Amino acid sequence: MTQVAAPKSPRRTPADKHDERRKALAESALRTLGELGYARASLREIANNSEFSHGVVHYYFNDKLELIVYCVRYYKQTCVHRYDGVVAEATSPDDLVLRFGDKLVETIVEEAPMHRLWYDLRSQSMFEESLREAVTQIDQSLEDMIARVVNRYAALASTEPAIAAPVAYGMFDGVFQQALLGYLNGRDGALDDLRNQVVGLMPMLLAQRSDITTSHMAGELP
């Protein structure tokens, strides 16, 4: 009986290997960046707190700025899809709100240093022009993520969002940042407050059914 040869794994190209090493460096660097922040973390400091030498880090990234921008982009690519399960699995408006609030709390508990780094970089971008493009793109991806949650919530409630996506993002970003700050400062009830604020805020984002009916009727007028 002729044996069938097992399919060969796709051969990795030098570019693939280069990307894999950059990702490994990013994962290692994020831990140091989350603890020290933008200003205090140098390439040498990052290397000293990782399994990579300073020379290796400098080979793959020209300077600290390039490394940090890559790290935050890499992290946020995962972060923005964290709520996809909430959107897909929610069965009612109340269910979505509870799932969303729990997920926001979970990400603060598990990844507070990463969120702290994000807010640090967003503030630094006001002074560091070379950060602005990356920060703006990441900000837009987070806004889109909030829009998906709000749109799903509205659909489950058989209505429509009442406010624009940037406004909804600004509101949730504000309460999330305050909860993060409270958590980092050890404030009792900071995470419970976040859950309660999400429960109270979500209904305010929706149009009333009467508003939708009036709007649709107005659109039908000649």
Side-chain angles (χ1 to χ4, degrees):
M1 183 175 179
T2 304
Q3 292 184 341
V4 178
K8 295 182 179 180
S9 301
R11 186 175 181 179
R12 293 189 306 162
T13 67
D16 292 334
K17 295 177 181 178
H18 187 270
D19 288 343
E20 288 176 6
R21 179 52 64 93
R22 280 168 68 92
K23 289 178 181 178
L25 283 165
E27 290 173 355
S28 177
L30 277 168
R31 295 191 292 271
T32 301
L33 290 167
E35 292 299 323
L36 298 181
Y38 174 81
R40 293 169 55 201
S42 64
L43 279 184
R44 187 172 298 279
E45 188 73 31
I46 291 169
N48 288 342
N49 287 279
S50 75
E51 63 271 32
F52 302 102
S53 69
H54 178 254
V56 169
V57 175
H58 203 281
Y59 175 79
Y60 285 95
F61 297 97
N62 292 325
D63 51 31
K64 181 180 78 170
L65 179 63
E66 182 182 356
L67 172 60
I68 289 177
V69 169
Y70 181 90
C71 284
V72 176
R73 285 185 187 274
Y74 175 74
Y75 169 70
K76 288 298 183 182
Q77 283 175 357
T78 302
C79 181
V80 297
H81 295 291
R82 183 175 287 114
Y83 304 91
D84 289 353
V86 171
V87 172
E89 297 167 11
T91 56
S92 69
D94 290 344
D95 183 38
L96 185 145
V97 170
L98 294 176
R99 288 173 181 266
F100 184 45
D102 286 344
K103 185 62 70 172
L104 289 172
V105 167
E106 177 186 299
T107 189
I108 286 180
V109 172
E110 295 183 354
E111 299 175 342
M114 298 301 97
H115 296 297
R116 179 172 61 184
L117 174 62
W118 161 244
Y119 285 115
D120 182 16
L121 289 180
R122 195 166 70 175
S123 296
Q124 290 289 338
S125 71
M126 297 183 184
F127 305 95
E128 185 77 59
E129 186 175 356
S130 51
L131 282 172
R132 289 176 194 164
E133 180 180 359
V135 166
T136 299
Q137 290 176 355
I138 294 168
D139 229 21
Q140 183 62 55
S141 68
L142 294 172
E143 179 186 312
D144 294 341
M145 177 267 291
I146 292 295
R148 290 194 294 273
V149 174
V150 174
N151 288 338
R152 176 59 175 162
Y153 179 65
L156 288 169
S158 301
T159 183
E160 299 173 356
I163 61 176
V167 180
Y169 170 53
M171 296 169 73
F172 279 113
D173 183 63
V175 298
F176 183 85
Q177 186 175 11
Q178 288 300 311
L180 175 65
L181 182 60
Y183 177 77
L184 293 172
N185 288 336
R187 179 170 65 81
D188 291 339
L191 299 181
D192 288 335
D193 287 347
L194 175 58
R195 286 191 180 94
N196 293 333
Q197 287 167 346
V198 170
V199 170
L201 180 58
M202 272 294 208
M204 299 170 59
L205 306 180
L206 301 186
Q208 299 298 316
R209 295 300 301 276
S210 58
D211 295 337
I212 297 175
T213 302
T214 302
S215 176
H216 287 175
M217 290 179 63
E220 294 170 0
L221 292 176

